[in-house]
Amino acid sequence: MKLLVAFSSALALATAASIATPPRPAKKSYDGYKVFRVAVGPEINRINALVDKYDLKTWKGAPRAGAYADIVVPPAQAAAFRADVADLEVITMHQDLGAAIADESSFSVYAAGSANATWFNSYHAYSDHLQFLRDLQSSFPSQSEIVTAGNSLNGNPITAIHFWGSAGKGVKPAIVLHGTVHAREWISTMVVEYLGYNLLTNYATSAEIKSFVDKYDFYIFPVVNPDGFLYTQSSDRLWRKNRQSTSGSTCIGHDINRNWPYQWSVTGGASTDPCAEDFKGRAQSDAPETTALVAWLKTTKANQGLKLFIDYHSYSQLFMTPYGYSCTTVSAKNTELQALAKGAVAAIKATHGLTYQYGPICSTIYKATGSSVDFVNDVVGSDYTFTTELRDTGNNGFVLPASQIVPTGEETYAALRYLLLNMK
């Protein structure tokens, strides 16, 4: 009888545990998937019809006339889709997307305590990113600290390294750099860390960098969507949104960069469909991550001022200014912002020869409402506000080889350096 009771108790505990912690969904395989880049002209309706017919995913929003559509096609549909667009200009970006993801995800082993430049030779697990920031901070204990802007939906801290110069912390205007708002944009994680690492580790040896860090406080947020980023590593490499549910829908995720409480209600710049990758949420700032970042940015602005905010994304090689919500309205500082953006893209080109385009978000890439840039520019009141789409222009898309981390970081630092030298 005692054995039976013990067995029953164990069974009840196991059952309760299984209810409390639902099994993780199987990792989505992209083996054999192809990514085609299709030039879209007058055939816009035809391309959209094919996307609907085969229920395909696109990487840069809905296909638009005059642009390229980057379309992900499962193995079973690849031949038929390719035949349907045989008369159009088509480039195969990925012959086997699964193989590219496997190569990209060959993380190097990170030894705690070794925050050095070898970090940038590969991509890394999320837990290692947090450890890297802790190790970097411990190398400069009197000049830096780990801070958080709050927690994600699942309780993961939105973590940054904050560092400062000779005047001490919190007394100079802030520069805030964001990465990985969209979970699948792994290169933005590494580049934001590269910028922080470069500034902090060269402070003692570079007079120019010392002048930057003495002039401003830097807040480096490599991953502001930690739940989504974790999901890209555990379940679906191409996941974009956070992991929030929506009442009345089985689809998961809000697009954090369509959820900011400014010009959120404007139509045409985000989706009201919870299943869409650019789902704006049921209400502005209803994503916990957005709410946390809004409060943190307002507090930082009030306490020390906000000189520069840059939100880093991928891909397309663009250096953009407000606004996303309108293609006709421009910032009151538009002339100065365009001049700075022009200089930044020239600095990028001078580094490794890559060409970036620049201009307001809406007219340069597409309309985007409820974005961080528009909010920070008009509500928080940053002196300068930009967003960048990093490498590349379509050979690899979101799955950028690790060999491009360092050169992307170098050219991105060149753009930041130009801003730091030329902002008023």
Side-chain angles (χ1 to χ4, degrees):
M1 179 62 72
K2 291 182 179 179
L3 181 61
L4 178 60
V5 170
F7 175 77
S8 299
S9 300
L11 180 60
L13 288 171
T15 302
S18 67
I19 293 171
T21 308
R24 177 181 291 171
K27 191 166 188 176
K28 181 174 178 59
S29 172
Y30 288 95
D31 291 348
Y33 277 63
K34 300 185 186 303
V35 184
F36 295 117
R37 165 161 278 199
V38 182
V40 182
E43 309 83 7
I44 178 64
N45 292 334
R46 175 181 155 199
I47 298 301
N48 277 308
L50 288 173
V51 169
D52 291 341
K53 172 185 175 181
Y54 293 113
D55 192 24
L56 303 176
K57 296 288 188 182
T58 60
W59 272 1
K60 295 169 65 181
R64 306 180 306 281
Y68 288 99
D70 298 346
I71 303 173
V72 182
V73 185
Q77 297 166 324
F81 178 84
R82 189 64 182 85
D84 285 336
V85 295
D87 60 318
L88 303 179
E89 178 190 340
V90 180
I91 298 169
T92 302
M93 293 169 57
H94 288 284
Q95 191 69 245
D96 184 342
L97 182 57
I101 289 172
D103 182 64
E104 176 203 44
S105 301
S106 299
F107 301 153
S108 62
V109 176
Y110 178 66
S114 60
N116 58 59
T118 62
W119 170 260
F120 301 101
N121 293 338
S122 76
Y123 296 100
H124 301 274
Y126 178 63
S127 59
D128 283 349
H129 283 284
L130 296 180
Q131 186 62 49
F132 175 79
L133 292 182
R134 289 192 292 266
D135 291 344
L136 184 59
Q137 188 280 324
S138 67
S139 298
F140 302 90
S142 63
Q143 192 185 354
S144 66
E145 64 181 356
I146 298 297
V147 299
T148 65
N151 291 330
S152 69
L153 176 73
N154 293 335
N156 292 300
I158 302 171
T159 304
I161 183 169
H162 167 213
F163 54 89
W164 54 86
S166 57
K169 70 175 181 179
V171 296
K172 298 289 186 178
I175 289 179
V176 179
L177 308 180
H178 272 193
T180 331
V181 176
H182 293 142
R184 61 193 176 190
E185 298 169 8
W186 286 9
I187 185 61
S188 70
T189 318
M190 300 301 300
V191 162
V192 170
E193 287 172 344
Y194 181 93
L195 299 176
Y197 178 85
N198 190 51
L199 288 164
L200 192 49
T201 60
N202 288 302
Y203 176 83
T205 57
S206 167
E208 181 179 82
I209 286 178
K210 185 178 188 302
S211 71
F212 295 156
V213 180
D214 284 348
K215 190 174 183 180
Y216 303 111
D217 275 34
F218 287 82
Y219 294 88
I220 307 296
F221 287 90
V223 182
V224 297
N225 179 9
D227 297 353
F229 187 63
L230 280 162
Y231 194 75
T232 65
Q233 298 193 334
S234 68
S235 303
D236 185 350
R237 171 62 185 87
L238 297 179
W239 186 258
R240 169 182 165 101
K241 301 182 283 183
N242 72 358
R243 295 295 300 161
Q244 189 170 354
S245 62
T246 300
S247 178
S249 174
T250 59
C251 292
I252 298 296
H254 292 189
D255 183 344
I256 298 172
N257 205 38
R258 300 294 185 274
N259 190 244
W260 291 73
Y262 182 67
Q263 303 295 349
W264 178 87
S265 298
V266 175
T267 60
S271 178
T272 58
D273 178 3
C275 299
E277 289 194 327
D278 61 346
F279 174 51
K280 66 197 297 183
R282 294 294 194 208
Q284 62 183 19
S285 200
D286 66 355
E289 297 84 359
T290 311
T291 300
L293 291 166
V294 163
W296 185 87
L297 283 162
K298 285 183 174 180
T299 299
T300 300
K301 164 71 174 182
N303 288 344
Q304 61 188 108
L306 181 56
K307 190 67 176 181
L308 173 66
F309 173 87
I310 306 180
D311 200 358
Y312 288 95
H313 292 260
S314 71
Y315 60 101
S316 286
Q317 293 176 202
L318 305 172
F319 199 93
M320 296 180 289
T321 63
Y323 293 107
Y325 77 88
S326 171
C327 290
T328 55
T329 305
V330 294
S331 168
K333 298 175 68 171
N334 186 60
T335 299
E336 184 182 5
L337 291 175
Q338 299 314 316
L340 287 169
K342 180 180 180 180
V345 301
I348 289 170
K349 189 174 183 65
T351 307
H352 292 294
L354 267 67
T355 299
Y356 277 52
Q357 304 299 320
Y358 70 93
I361 296 166
C362 188
S363 56
T364 304
I365 185 167
Y366 43 59
K367 190 173 186 178
T369 52
S371 73
S372 64
V373 169
D374 292 356
F375 176 85
V376 173
N377 189 78
D378 280 18
V379 180
V380 178
S382 177
D383 292 346
Y384 298 94
T385 310
F386 299 94
T387 185
T388 299
E389 296 279 349
L390 300 167
R391 293 190 184 193
D392 56 13
T393 55
N395 292 328
N396 298 283
F398 296 119
V399 188
L400 194 71
S403 60
Q404 295 197 39
I405 293 172
V406 171
T408 307
E410 290 170 343
E411 66 202 14
T412 305
Y413 177 75
L416 177 62
R417 174 181 179 270
Y418 180 86
L419 297 179
L420 296 175
L421 289 171
N422 290 280
M423 292 185 304
K424 293 178 182 176

